[in-house]
Amino acid sequence: MQKENNTTVPSATTPRIRHRKRSNEVIPEPSKANGGNLLVNDRNKYKSMWIRTHSTVWMIGGFALIVYMGHLYITAMVVVIQIFMAKELFNLLRKAHEDRHLPGFRLLNWHFFFTAMFFVYGRLLSQPLVNTVTSDKFLYQFVSSLIKYHMAICYFLYIAGFMWFILTLKKKMYKYQFGQYAWTHMILIVVFTQSSFTVANIFEGIFWFLLPASLIVINDIFAYIFGFFFGKTPLIKLSPKKTWEGFIGASVTTIISAFVLANILGRFCWLTCPRKDLSTGWLACDPGPLFKPENYILPGWISQWFPWKEISVLPVQWHALCFGLFASIIAPFGGFFASGFKRAFKIKDFGDSIPGHGGITDRMDCQMVMAVFAYIYHQSFVMRQGISVEMILDQILTNLTFEEQQSLLMKLGQILQERLEHS
Amino acid sequence: MNRWNNQIHNNILSLPSFFFSFSILIPNNFWVCNQGTSKPFTFITTGSVYIVSKVVIRLYNNKGNMPKDNSAPSTPTSARARHRRRSNEFPADESKTNGHLLLVNDHNKYRSMWIRACSSLWMLGFFLLVIYLGHLYVLAMVVIIQIFMARELFNLLRKSHEDKHLPGFRLLNWHFYFTAMLFVYGRILSHRLVNTVTSDKIFYRLVSRLIKYQMVICYFSYIAGFMWFILTLKKKMYKYQFGQFAWTHMILIVVFTQSAFTVANIFEGIFWFLLPASLIAVNDVAAYFFGFFFGKTPLIKISPKKTWEGFIGASVATTISAFVLANIYGSFQWLTCPRKDLSTGWLHCDPGPLFKPEYYPLLPWLPWTEIAILPVQWHALWLGLFASIIAPFGGFFASGFKRAFKIKDFGDSIPGHGGLTDRMDCQMVMAVFAYIYHQSFVVPQDYTVETIMSEILSSLTLEEQQILYMKLGQILQERMFGWD
């Protein structure tokens, strides 16, 4: 079955998976050149490549459609991916024999999952949610009080799960249950960290979600292509099919395409505008200084060769260079981590949701590392104006009643006027 | 006898250090703006050198036979540990009343009770001293406790056979530890650090820069550790290494969540740290005594020595003492005032409406006509309820964990008590609750138009204030039109 609502997948990781699968099946074979293995099993290879290409095209198509539809639908897609990833990972280390003696243990996993979901998305979406329901007074008060006591509600949900866990501890099953408890926590942290940062990026502007994801895709595709044609020296023992030539070639290509892609993506208002509420309408905004093209005059020797005299560069393209660097050099470690993990626990794939690709976690391993980096980079280096203004505005809106807000507004207005008159 | 000798030995050794530190007049922290006037320098430096010398002596006599002055006052948890120990040694004995087992082994019991009481008193005394010294020293104490707890837990599931093949793996644990420390304390203390170094321009710029890029620094430090981990994966050791990686993360989360919240509480006012910690201690003492005298029906299979009578009696006692203790603690400004920077001087502040006594008239046939109640006492009732009903689950969790992995104690730092984690298990659950309760129910009550107004005027520039004014005006206008 093909699921349309899965995230983007690079068509090039198909051969990587093919290599990874073959390397799992035939473990003692080290570092053969990529060319050697590819010509084996011609018929099966073409058939499986066709299946993979088919599902890749569906995934990319679905992804493009969702990006067109908007922020809310992308968030929904991220949430759905998350649920499937968590389901795959929860099932991974479970042992069916012990599980028969522990009814309701699976339910505990999902309880913690929904607590984490409420916590993370409550924090991220509280401000946009408040902005959406300003029209209805009753709903507004309900939402405000929910947000005010959000931390307390999440904490008590967690404590309820914690107490439930302790009360269901069974003799002789202690070690298994504690192991599962720790495993649940690790899964939830891994899944929710990256998805919360992804959603935060989306509401800053789809650009900051689309660019990192595309860079990972491009890196995979070109790593495959360079490895196919030039691959000789193996890169790391964990993934025997990866080569240094593929790695370096892909790095160069990713950085160049980051520069170019940022220019292309930065022209669309739909991608660069932040979204302040949960509506789905069209966006129009002042994109800010980052997306205004600046013109650089090219030095003389270039204009002799090329017809262009000057080039317009969006300032965001310099930031995109850093993204490209990270995507090519550090993000593959997410893939190595997943490979090592599968070898450690002797698993072939995380799941089998996507035909020809394995599970969703197989597709998302590098994306997760990249999403976190993109968020932290954006928070630290892409200056947003008025952070403290936002914080204080939050405080005013959540902690004061409507009348108090109005009186605060009047007093502030008076003080500002006095200051203007003095200066 | 060994323990006795070492204990006396320790005390004699520490006296010279005490006098030595008197003679050192170390100037107070050079970066502190406002220096306290009512605390002599010598006392502060004496206390800190004394503490350091105690730790050093303990590290040199690392057989763990000496009382370690750390952490929470826990006279009663000694008794609880005794129960837990006996339950680990005789796992087949289920649901005996406390009375039977206590009268066995008279001589050993009295001596071990004496050792435990001694170390408990040392810990209590040390704790009171640190509270007296102030917020910064409490913070230092929390950090030291954290380091020792992390060390105990890191060592717990390590297998020495595999470790021989993996040099530098322990270093990786500590790398993640210091990354977490930078992240957590950077966030909590950033504002206060900025307020402390406002006097020196170079320092101020350096500190502001560090704070601005704090997330990036922590992230790259974590990524460096992640890459280091992947590059040191060895064939046939994959499963062990991944297990250790996950274990490291779980430890750091558990240790740092509760200590981060503890530190945040401390700087809101020592009251919000002292009250929850005391309630846990009171709960343990009361549970022991009620179980001792009335214990019959067992409470939970994981801890066979706990009884329903002890549990319920302790709940009542804890709730009542929460009410009383809040009144006592709330009358000291040292405990109730928040600390805005990292200085160590005396504190003066307006304690706020929570700590101003309100008078309620009592029934006419009682000798007192009215009773003064601080509004914070009602909050303390909730803290007491949580401490007695839910916080013991932290202890059950630790007991279950030890049974699952067939460990007797988490460590042996404290004589008679086991390791630091044994003492801190209930405290951890309570610290998180205290912080969340404070943030959700106590702080918002303090928000008035005046407080937010003063915050606006003090922390925003003129342009930002104008932006705020415009945005607020827009939002309020939209609301008014939407609701009409």
Side-chain angles (χ1 to χ4, degrees):
Chain A
M1 282 202 340
Q2 286 164 350
K3 293 198 164 70
E4 283 190 28
N5 48 0
N6 290 332
T7 186
T8 180
V9 82
S11 49
T13 47
T14 53
R16 181 156 74 99
I17 293 300
R18 201 183 338 143
H19 288 299
R20 211 191 284 147
K21 269 208 183 145
R22 236 182 291 132
S23 70
N24 274 352
E25 287 160 2
V26 192
I27 288 184
E29 281 187 56
S31 62
K32 272 192 192 164
N34 288 341
N37 278 333
L38 279 175
L39 300 171
V40 177
N41 295 335
D42 263 2
R43 259 189 217 275
N44 281 348
K45 179 197 66 159
Y46 279 120
K47 185 169 164 193
S48 47
M49 186 168 149
W50 172 242
I51 291 179
R52 285 190 196 103
T53 314
H54 214 202
S55 54
T56 306
V57 168
W58 271 108
M59 284 198 274
I60 290 184
F63 183 67
L65 175 72
I66 290 177
V67 169
Y68 174 72
M69 285 174 66
H71 305 75
L72 201 59
Y73 289 91
I74 301 179
T75 306
M77 175 186 84
V78 168
V79 169
V80 169
I81 289 175
Q82 226 180 282
I83 294 179
F84 281 105
M85 240 170 89
K87 200 169 81 156
E88 270 178 25
L89 291 169
F90 280 153
N91 284 335
L92 204 57
L93 291 192
R94 178 173 299 149
K95 293 178 194 158
H97 172 70
E98 274 93 338
D99 250 10
R100 252 176 270 136
H101 296 279
L102 293 169
F105 205 59
R106 286 182 70 176
L107 205 55
L108 187 67
N109 283 345
W110 290 108
H111 171 88
F112 282 121
F113 179 85
F114 283 111
T115 302
M117 173 110 78
F118 184 64
F119 173 67
V120 161
Y121 289 105
R123 285 186 77 118
L124 283 177
L125 298 180
S126 58
Q127 196 52 43
L129 189 63
V130 167
N131 290 343
T132 312
V133 298
T134 46
S135 50
D136 189 335
K137 188 158 189 188
F138 174 70
L139 206 57
Y140 172 71
Q141 279 178 346
F142 176 68
V143 166
S144 310
S145 57
L146 205 63
I147 290 172
K148 198 155 107 172
Y149 297 116
H150 163 256
M151 283 276 278
I153 295 174
C154 291
Y155 179 71
F156 277 106
L157 283 176
Y158 179 80
I159 286 287
F162 180 71
M163 288 166 68
W164 180 2
F165 168 72
I166 290 179
L167 293 172
T168 58
L169 281 175
K170 259 189 175 172
K171 247 186 151 76
K172 302 196 194 327
M173 307 273 288
Y174 289 152
K175 192 164 183 175
Y176 174 71
Q177 285 180 289
F178 271 96
Q180 288 290 308
Y181 187 74
W183 178 234
T184 301
H185 279 69
M186 288 300 292
I187 292 173
L188 289 178
I189 287 163
V190 165
V191 166
F192 275 97
T193 313
Q194 59 94 12
S195 80
S196 71
F197 287 161
T198 309
V199 170
N201 273 346
I202 290 169
F203 281 89
E204 291 296 327
I206 301 181
F207 178 87
W208 299 103
F209 161 70
L210 196 54
L211 181 68
S214 324
L215 289 179
I216 296 285
V217 172
I218 290 174
N219 192 52
D220 281 333
I221 294 177
F222 282 96
Y224 170 65
I225 292 179
F226 276 94
F228 188 94
F229 288 116
F230 307 114
K232 279 188 192 53
T233 33
L235 179 63
I236 193 172
K237 281 196 293 277
L238 274 176
S239 301
K241 295 286 170 267
K242 298 208 191 285
T243 59
W244 273 103
E245 290 83 7
F247 185 72
I248 293 177
S251 306
V252 172
T253 316
T254 306
I255 293 174
I256 295 174
S257 58
F259 198 75
V260 171
L261 208 59
N263 198 343
I264 299 172
L265 293 178
R267 296 180 195 279
F268 296 97
C269 241
W270 182 241
L271 299 179
T272 61
C273 289
R275 170 83 74 180
K276 292 293 177 209
D277 57 13
L278 297 178
S279 64
T280 51
W282 205 250
L283 275 181
C285 65
D286 170 23
L290 268 185
F291 294 99
K292 291 202 173 67
E294 292 176 7
N295 295 317
Y296 293 92
I297 302 185
L298 291 174
W301 57 271
I302 293 189
S303 53
Q304 281 175 4
W305 290 87
F306 295 104
W308 306 288
K309 286 253 176 340
E310 59 178 27
I311 182 170
S312 71
V313 172
L314 305 177
V316 75
Q317 292 181 252
W318 306 115
H319 289 295
L321 279 182
C322 293
F323 274 69
L325 208 65
F326 187 90
S328 50
I329 295 179
I330 300 182
F333 278 85
F336 299 154
F337 185 85
S339 299
F341 185 83
K342 287 191 284 194
R343 281 172 187 272
F345 293 94
K346 298 190 178 33
I347 316 163
K348 197 163 110 172
D349 271 319
F350 281 105
D352 54 6
S353 320
I354 313 177
H357 290 256
I360 296 185
T361 316
D362 289 298
R363 294 277 64 75
M364 295 293 286
D365 46 23
C366 290
Q367 299 276 359
M368 293 199 288
V369 179
M370 191 71 196
V372 177
F373 172 76
Y375 177 76
I376 290 183
Y377 187 90
H378 181 82
Q379 288 295 100
S380 308
F381 297 110
V382 176
M383 291 306 157
R384 286 184 313 157
Q385 285 169 345
I387 285 186
S388 40
V389 172
E390 300 280 342
M391 272 175 14
I392 294 192
L393 203 57
D394 276 345
Q395 280 177 1
I396 295 175
L397 294 173
T398 51
N399 290 315
L400 297 181
T401 66
F402 188 63
E403 293 75 19
E404 287 176 337
Q405 291 168 7
Q406 282 179 320
S407 76
L408 179 72
L409 189 69
M410 279 195 324
K411 287 188 186 174
L412 187 58
Q414 283 173 356
I415 292 182
L416 285 180
Q417 267 214 318
E418 286 170 18
R419 285 230 182 132
L420 280 177
E421 283 162 11
H422 279 294
S423 60
Chain B
M1 286 316 269
N2 244 350
R3 277 192 195 163
W4 288 93
N5 289 340
N6 276 340
Q7 204 163 329
I8 300 171
H9 202 64
N10 174 42
N11 289 336
I12 294 179
L13 268 180
S14 54
L15 277 178
S17 64
F18 194 92
F19 289 116
F20 177 67
S21 53
F22 250 120
S23 61
I24 299 176
L25 278 176
I26 303 172
N28 206 349
N29 308 329
F30 69 93
W31 64 79
V32 170
C33 314
N34 50 334
Q35 297 172 349
T37 50
S38 51
K39 281 202 194 353
F41 279 10
T42 48
F43 186 77
I44 297 172
T45 55
T46 303
S48 41
V49 174
Y50 180 65
I51 293 162
V52 168
S53 63
K54 278 280 216 188
V55 172
V56 164
I57 290 172
R58 189 247 156 212
L59 282 177
Y60 269 102
N61 293 324
N62 59 352
K63 293 309 168 197
N65 276 338
M66 304 206 317
K68 188 150 191 283
D69 313 30
N70 272 329
S71 172
S74 37
T75 321
T77 48
S78 59
R80 185 158 69 98
R82 195 178 348 137
H83 286 299
R84 213 192 287 147
R85 271 232 181 119
R86 235 180 291 128
S87 70
N88 277 352
E89 285 163 3
F90 306 109
D93 287 344
E94 303 246 343
S95 64
K96 274 197 191 157
T97 60
N98 291 339
H100 282 263
L101 284 171
L102 278 178
L103 299 175
V104 177
N105 296 334
D106 261 1
H107 275 283
N108 282 347
K109 178 197 67 163
Y110 279 121
R111 183 196 298 164
S112 47
M113 184 169 149
W114 171 244
I115 291 178
R116 286 189 196 103
C118 226
S119 55
S120 304
L121 282 176
W122 272 110
M123 286 196 280
L124 184 67
F126 174 78
F127 185 66
L128 288 176
L129 175 73
V130 170
I131 296 266
Y132 176 69
L133 287 177
H135 303 75
L136 200 59
Y137 292 92
V138 178
L139 173 67
M141 177 184 81
V142 168
V143 169
I144 291 175
I145 289 175
Q146 221 180 289
I147 294 180
F148 282 104
M149 240 170 88
R151 203 173 74 159
E152 269 177 26
L153 291 170
F154 281 154
N155 284 335
L156 204 56
L157 289 192
R158 178 174 298 150
K159 293 177 193 156
S160 54
H161 173 71
E162 273 94 339
D163 250 9
K164 261 179 252 139
H165 297 279
L166 292 169
F169 206 59
R170 285 182 70 177
L171 203 55
L172 186 66
N173 284 345
W174 290 108
H175 171 90
F176 282 121
Y177 179 87
F178 284 111
T179 302
M181 175 110 76
L182 190 67
F183 174 66
V184 160
Y185 289 108
R187 284 187 76 119
I188 294 179
L189 298 180
S190 56
H191 271 300
R192 296 179 168 92
L193 194 60
V194 167
N195 288 344
T196 310
V197 297
T198 45
S199 57
D200 191 319
K201 200 150 190 199
I202 299 177
F203 247 164
Y204 178 71
R205 257 188 268 144
L206 179 68
V207 166
S208 321
R209 185 81 48 84
L210 274 180
I211 287 171
K212 196 155 96 167
Y213 296 118
Q214 181 230 350
M215 283 277 275
V216 179
I217 296 173
C218 292
Y219 178 71
F220 277 105
S221 175
Y222 178 80
I223 285 288
F226 181 72
M227 287 167 68
W228 179 3
F229 168 72
I230 290 179
L231 293 171
T232 58
L233 281 174
K234 259 190 176 174
K235 247 181 148 79
K236 302 197 193 327
M237 310 274 285
Y238 289 151
K239 191 163 183 177
Y240 174 73
Q241 286 180 286
F242 272 97
Q244 289 289 308
F245 188 71
W247 178 234
T248 301
H249 279 71
M250 288 300 293
I251 291 173
L252 290 178
I253 289 163
V254 165
V255 166
F256 274 96
T257 315
Q258 57 95 12
S259 78
F261 288 159
T262 308
V263 169
N265 273 345
I266 290 169
F267 281 91
E268 293 291 332
I270 300 184
F271 178 88
W272 298 103
F273 162 70
L274 193 55
L275 183 65
S278 324
L279 288 179
I280 296 286
V282 165
N283 190 53
D284 282 334
V285 177
Y288 170 65
F289 280 115
F290 277 94
F292 187 96
F293 290 116
F294 308 113
K296 278 187 194 56
T297 34
L299 179 64
I300 194 171
K301 280 194 296 274
I302 302 177
S303 301
K305 295 286 169 261
K306 299 209 191 283
T307 58
W308 273 103
E309 290 84 7
F311 184 72
I312 293 176
S315 306
V316 172
T318 306
T319 315
I320 293 175
S321 59
F323 199 74
V324 170
L325 275 178
N327 196 344
I328 299 174
Y329 290 153
S331 27
F332 295 99
Q333 268 204 2
W334 182 239
L335 299 179
T336 60
C337 290
R339 172 78 80 175
K340 292 293 177 209
D341 57 12
L342 297 179
S343 65
T344 50
W346 206 253
L347 275 180
H348 292 287
C349 65
D350 170 23
L354 269 184
F355 293 100
K356 291 201 173 68
E358 292 173 5
Y359 294 96
Y360 295 88
L362 283 181
L363 302 164
W365 45 269
L366 287 175
W368 305 282
T369 44
E370 57 179 21
I371 184 169
I373 294 187
L374 308 176
V376 75
Q377 292 182 253
W378 306 116
H379 288 293
L381 279 183
W382 291 107
L383 288 178
L385 209 63
F386 186 90
S388 50
I389 296 179
I390 301 182
F393 278 83
F396 299 153
F397 185 85
S399 298
F401 185 83
K402 287 192 287 193
R403 280 172 187 272
F405 293 94
K406 298 187 178 36
I407 317 163
K408 192 164 114 168
D409 272 320
F410 280 106
D412 54 5
S413 320
I414 313 178
H417 290 253
L420 271 176
T421 318
D422 289 298
R423 291 280 65 71
M424 297 296 286
D425 44 25
C426 290
Q427 298 278 359
M428 295 199 287
V429 179
M430 190 70 196
V432 176
F433 173 74
Y435 177 76
I436 290 182
Y437 185 87
H438 181 80
Q439 290 296 103
S440 305
F441 298 105
V442 173
V443 162
Q445 290 179 354
D446 286 344
Y447 273 142
T448 56
V449 175
E450 282 78 25
T451 54
I452 295 189
M453 203 65 198
S454 58
E455 215 179 306
I456 293 175
L457 293 174
S458 58
S459 47
L460 295 182
T461 66
L462 191 63
E463 293 79 18
E464 288 175 333
Q465 289 170 11
Q466 285 173 328
I467 295 174
L468 178 69
Y469 179 71
M470 280 194 321
K471 283 191 182 177
L472 187 59
Q474 275 174 2
I475 292 178
L476 288 182
Q477 271 211 318
E478 281 171 24
R479 298 238 173 106
M480 273 199 310
F481 286 129
W483 291 341
D484 284 343

